[in-house]
Amino acid sequence: MEFEKCLLDKQKRVNERLKELVSNLDAPQIIIDSMKYSLLAGGKRIRPILSIAICEALGGNTEEVLDVACSIEMIHTYSLIHDDLPCMDNDDYRRGKLTNHKVYGEAIAILTGDALLNLAFEILLLSSKNSYDKRFIDAAFEISRASGVMGMIAGQVIDITNVGKLLNENLLKNMHEKKTGKLIEASCNVGAIIANRYDALPLTREYSKNLGIAFQIVDDILDVVGNSEKLGKSVGKDAKNNKPTFVSLYGLEKSRELAKEYSLKAAELAIKIDNTGFLHALTEYLLYRES
Amino acid sequence: MEFEKCLLDKQKRVNERLKELVSNLDAPQIIIDSMKYSLLAGGKRIRPILSIAICEALGGNTEEVLDVACSIEMIHTYSLIHDDLPCMDNDDYRRGKLTNHKVYGEAIAILTGDALLNLAFEILLLSSKNSYDKRFIDAAFEISRASGVMGMIAGQVIDITNVGKLLNENLLKNMHEKKTGKLIEASCNVGAIIANRYDALPLTREYSKNLGIAFQIVDDILDVVGNSEKLGKSVGKDAKNNKPTFVSLYGLEKSRELAKEYSLKAAELAIKIDNTGFLHALTEYLLYRES
C-alpha cells in the first residue's frame, strides 16, 4: 500500500512534468497534438521512476533529476512510435489507444518520433547549460549512448532483421540487452550521477542489467499469456510476427523461472542501493505485473 | 582558384572526419553500411564548412570545431533520409544515388535517420564531456534547438501539411526559415561560439538568415531550371508534388532577383565576419551554383 502510493505519486510527478515540457512549444499544432497524444498516453513510466527513485535513495535532489528522467521517457516513447510503424512491427494499439500513425498518418508519426528524440536532447542540454555542471553533461552522454546505434537502435535492427529466425541464447540476450536493457541501465545510472554518487555506478549497472533481462522476459511471457485489455496492446504478436523471444526459445515454464532468477538478483541489489525498500518493491512489482 | 582549392580542402577534411566518426561503431553491419551509404555519399558539406570557415575567421581552432561541424552534417543527412521516404516526398534519387530506403528498405532507412540524429548528439556530448567547456555545451544546445520541433522539424511539418496549397509570402518564408534556415543559422553561430567570439553572434545570425533565404530560393529555382545530373536528384519534383516554392509564388525572374538581393546582403556581412574573403566567395558560389 505504501509502495503503491509512492509509485502513483512518482508517476503523477512525471506525468505533470512531461505535460509541461510539451506545452508552450512554438510549433505547428498538429505535431504538438501528436507528441502529446503518444507521450501523455499513460504508460508505467518505469524508466523515469527508476531515475528518480535511485537519485533520491542516494541522497540526490528530485527537482534536479526530474527533467533528465522525463527526457528518457521521451526517448522511450519515440522508439515505440517508430517501432509501431507499418514497415516495422505494424502495430495498431499501444498503451490502450490507436498507435500514432493510425491517428496522424505515417509522415507525422515519423516526425513525431524525431521531434521527441530531439526534444529529449534539447532538455538534457538545457539542464547542462543552466548549470554547466558536469553531472548533467555526464547524464546526457550516458543517455545518448544508450539510445544510439550502439544501444537501443542496434537492438531494434537485430530484432527486425531476425524475424522468423531462431536466435540462440546469446544473440537473443544481446538483442534485448540493447533494445530495452541499455535505456533501463541509463535510467538507473543517471540517478546515481545526478545524486553525485559516481561511486554507486557499479551497483546501479549490475542492478539494471538484471532488472532489464527480467523485465524483457516478463514482456515476452505477457505477450503469450497476457490480457490485451490490461496490456493496452495486442497480444500474441511475437508469435504472429515470428519474432524470437525467451518463450519461443525456452518455453513458458523455464522463462518464468528465469524471470524470477534475474528479478531475485535485481531485488538483492535494490536493497543495497535503496534502504527505504521502494526499489526492492518496484523490482518485485515489475516481475508480477500484468501489463 | 584560391577559393576553390580552399573549399575542396575543407570538404576533404569534413569527409575524412565523417568517415572516422562512423567507423569503429559497435553495431550491426547493415546499419553501419546504411549510415555510411547516405552520410558519405558526397554533398557540398555547406553547413560544416560554414562552421569551420566562421570559426577560423574569428580566430578559433579548426580541430575544436570539426566534430561539432560534422554533427550538423549528420543531422542534415538524417533529415534528407526521412524526407525522402515514400510517406513524405517519396524521392528515388539523392546526391546522385538511389535514396536510402530504395537500397535498404523503409525500416532500415528510418532507423538510419534515427541513428544519425542520435550520433550527432553523442558526438556533441562527447565534445562537451571531454572538456566540460561551456562553449561545447552552448554549441550543442544551439544545434538541438535548430534541428528540433521549433526548428527544422516544424519546417518539414509545414511543408508536408501544405502540399497543394498556395502559401502566402510570410508562411512560405516561415517554412523555409525553419526547414533549412535554422540549421544553416546554427552552423554559422557555432563557428562563433567555438571561437569563443560570442560578441560576433548578432553578425553571424544576420548573415546566416540572409544566406538561408538566398540558398532556399536558389534551391527552388534549380528544381525548375536545373540539370538533374548535376544536381544528383530529380528536378521538377516541387511542381509535380504541388509544393509551394518561391518560384510558384513569384515566378522565375522575380525569384532570381530576390536570390541576388539576399545574397548581396549576406555577402556584405560575410566581409565583416571574415576578412580573408573566403566566406564572401562562398556566399557568391552558393548563389551561382548549379547543384
Side-chain angles (χ1 to χ4, degrees):
Chain A
M1 186 55 200
E2 184 54 37
F3 163 72
E4 272 177 31
K5 192 187 163 304
C6 192
L7 181 67
L8 284 173
D9 276 357
K10 284 185 169 49
Q11 281 172 340
K12 192 166 167 248
R13 187 127 190 214
V14 168
N15 287 333
E16 283 171 359
R17 186 58 185 152
L18 284 173
K19 203 170 172 180
E20 283 171 15
L21 288 168
V22 288
S23 299
N24 308 317
L25 294 173
D26 176 22
Q29 197 56 46
I30 189 171
I31 187 110
I32 301 285
D33 290 346
S34 170
M35 289 166 84
K36 285 184 178 171
Y37 178 83
S38 290
L39 188 66
L40 309 178
K44 296 180 289 296
R45 313 303 192 194
I46 295 308
R47 292 159 191 78
I49 287 172
L50 282 167
S51 306
I52 293 168
I54 289 173
C55 182
E56 288 176 346
L58 295 173
N61 181 315
T62 313
E63 277 305 313
E64 281 196 330
V65 81
L66 189 57
D67 283 7
V68 176
C70 286
S71 78
I72 296 176
E73 188 67 17
M74 288 184 185
I75 292 174
H76 174 57
T77 303
Y78 119 77
S79 78
L80 299 179
I81 296 172
H82 282 190
D83 286 6
D84 286 339
L85 287 166
C87 67
M88 305 254 194
D89 288 357
N90 195 20
D91 274 320
D92 292 351
Y93 289 95
R94 168 72 69 181
R95 292 175 171 174
K97 296 166 68 177
L98 284 171
T99 44
N100 191 291
H101 65 271
K102 281 280 172 186
V103 178
Y104 292 96
E106 282 181 57
I108 292 292
I110 291 170
L111 290 169
T112 302
D114 296 347
L116 286 169
L117 174 60
N118 200 100
L119 185 60
F121 286 111
E122 289 177 65
I123 290 164
L124 289 165
L125 284 162
L126 187 61
S127 295
S128 300
K129 199 174 148 63
N130 281 338
S131 63
Y132 297 115
D133 182 321
K134 110 187 244 300
R135 292 174 298 142
F136 292 98
I137 300 157
D138 291 344
F141 179 69
E142 174 86 20
I143 294 167
S144 75
R145 275 287 150 99
S147 59
V149 74
M150 294 184 279
M152 190 176 71
I153 294 173
Q156 177 66 359
V157 171
I158 298 171
D159 188 346
I160 63 165
T161 55
N162 282 287
V163 169
K165 297 180 192 164
L166 191 64
L167 297 184
N168 63 32
E169 182 176 343
N170 281 342
L171 204 52
L172 183 71
K173 269 198 188 162
N174 184 31
M175 176 180 90
H176 286 315
E177 187 194 311
K178 296 201 162 137
K179 190 172 167 173
T180 54
K182 287 283 180 189
L183 201 59
I184 288 177
E185 195 185 327
S187 307
C188 297
N189 292 345
V190 299
I193 291 170
I194 300 298
N196 207 17
R197 285 288 306 277
Y198 288 78
D199 62 295
L201 282 173
L203 209 53
T204 55
R205 271 193 207 106
E206 207 186 334
Y207 165 72
S208 58
K209 274 185 183 144
N210 284 290
L211 182 74
I213 300 174
F215 187 82
Q216 187 56 53
I217 301 175
V218 173
D219 231 44
D220 287 355
I221 293 171
L222 286 172
D223 188 67
V224 177
V225 304
N227 177 315
S228 76
E229 213 164 297
K230 282 184 186 162
L231 282 166
K233 59 183 180 183
S234 327
V235 295
K237 62 191 176 109
D238 291 336
K240 199 186 75 189
N241 292 337
N242 226 341
K243 290 246 175 162
T245 72
F246 281 97
V247 179
S248 68
L249 189 65
Y250 296 116
L252 209 49
E253 199 173 343
K254 170 87 174 149
S255 295
R256 279 186 172 131
E257 274 170 37
L258 281 170
K260 263 193 195 159
E261 205 177 288
Y262 284 106
S263 281
L264 205 66
K265 274 190 220 162
E268 277 169 25
L269 292 155
I271 298 170
K272 293 190 190 173
I273 299 169
D274 178 10
N275 63 19
T276 72
F278 178 79
L279 199 61
H280 184 272
L282 182 67
T283 310
E284 295 213 315
Y285 160 82
L286 292 175
L287 174 66
Y288 295 111
R289 71 199 158 98
E290 292 185 301
S291 68
Chain B
M1 184 55 202
E2 184 52 38
F3 164 71
E4 273 180 29
K5 190 185 165 306
C6 192
L7 181 68
L8 284 174
D9 275 357
K10 284 187 168 48
Q11 281 174 340
K12 190 165 168 250
R13 188 127 190 214
V14 168
N15 287 333
E16 282 171 0
R17 186 59 185 152
L18 284 172
K19 202 169 172 182
E20 282 171 15
L21 288 168
V22 288
S23 298
N24 308 317
L25 293 173
D26 176 22
Q29 196 57 45
I30 188 171
I31 186 112
I32 301 285
D33 290 346
S34 170
M35 289 165 84
K36 285 184 178 170
Y37 178 82
S38 290
L39 188 66
L40 308 178
K44 295 180 290 295
R45 312 304 192 195
I46 296 308
R47 292 159 191 79
I49 286 172
L50 282 167
S51 307
I52 294 168
I54 289 173
C55 183
E56 288 176 345
L58 296 172
N61 181 314
T62 312
E63 275 306 313
E64 281 196 331
V65 81
L66 188 57
D67 283 7
V68 175
C70 286
S71 79
I72 297 176
E73 187 67 16
M74 287 183 185
I75 292 174
H76 174 56
T77 304
Y78 120 76
S79 77
L80 299 180
I81 296 172
H82 282 191
D83 285 6
D84 286 339
L85 286 166
C87 66
M88 305 255 195
D89 289 356
N90 195 21
D91 274 318
D92 292 352
Y93 289 94
R94 171 70 71 181
R95 292 174 172 175
K97 296 165 67 176
L98 283 171
T99 44
N100 190 292
H101 65 271
K102 281 279 170 185
V103 178
Y104 292 97
E106 281 180 56
I108 292 292
I110 291 170
L111 291 168
T112 302
D114 297 346
L116 285 169
L117 174 61
N118 200 100
L119 186 59
F121 286 112
E122 289 176 67
I123 290 165
L124 289 165
L125 285 161
L126 188 61
S127 294
S128 299
K129 200 173 146 64
N130 280 339
S131 62
Y132 297 116
D133 182 322
K134 111 187 243 300
R135 291 175 297 143
F136 291 99
I137 300 157
D138 291 343
F141 179 69
E142 173 87 21
I143 294 166
S144 76
R145 275 287 152 101
S147 59
V149 74
M150 294 184 280
M152 189 175 72
I153 294 173
Q156 176 67 358
V157 171
I158 298 172
D159 187 346
I160 63 166
T161 55
N162 282 288
V163 169
K165 297 179 193 165
L166 191 64
L167 297 184
N168 64 32
E169 182 177 343
N170 281 342
L171 203 52
L172 183 72
K173 267 196 190 164
N174 185 32
M175 174 181 92
H176 286 314
E177 188 192 310
K178 295 200 163 137
K179 190 172 168 172
T180 53
K182 286 284 181 188
L183 201 60
I184 287 177
E185 197 185 327
S187 306
C188 296
N189 292 345
V190 300
I193 292 170
I194 300 299
N196 206 19
R197 285 287 306 278
Y198 288 78
D199 62 296
L201 281 173
L203 209 52
T204 55
R205 269 192 209 106
E206 206 187 334
Y207 165 72
S208 58
K209 272 183 185 148
N210 285 290
L211 182 73
I213 300 175
F215 187 82
Q216 188 56 53
I217 301 175
V218 173
D219 233 43
D220 287 356
I221 293 172
L222 286 172
D223 188 66
V224 177
V225 304
N227 176 314
S228 75
E229 213 164 297
K230 282 184 186 161
L231 282 166
K233 60 183 179 184
S234 327
V235 295
K237 62 192 176 109
D238 291 336
K240 198 185 78 190
N241 292 336
N242 227 340
K243 290 247 175 160
T245 70
F246 281 98
V247 179
S248 69
L249 189 63
Y250 296 117
L252 209 51
E253 200 173 343
K254 171 86 175 151
S255 294
R256 279 186 171 132
E257 273 170 37
L258 281 170
K260 262 192 195 159
E261 205 177 288
Y262 284 106
S263 281
L264 205 67
K265 274 190 220 162
E268 276 169 26
L269 292 155
I271 297 170
K272 291 190 190 173
I273 299 169
D274 178 10
N275 63 20
T276 71
F278 178 78
L279 199 61
H280 183 273
L282 183 66
T283 309
E284 293 213 317
Y285 160 82
L286 291 175
L287 175 64
Y288 295 112
R289 71 200 158 99
E290 292 185 300
S291 71

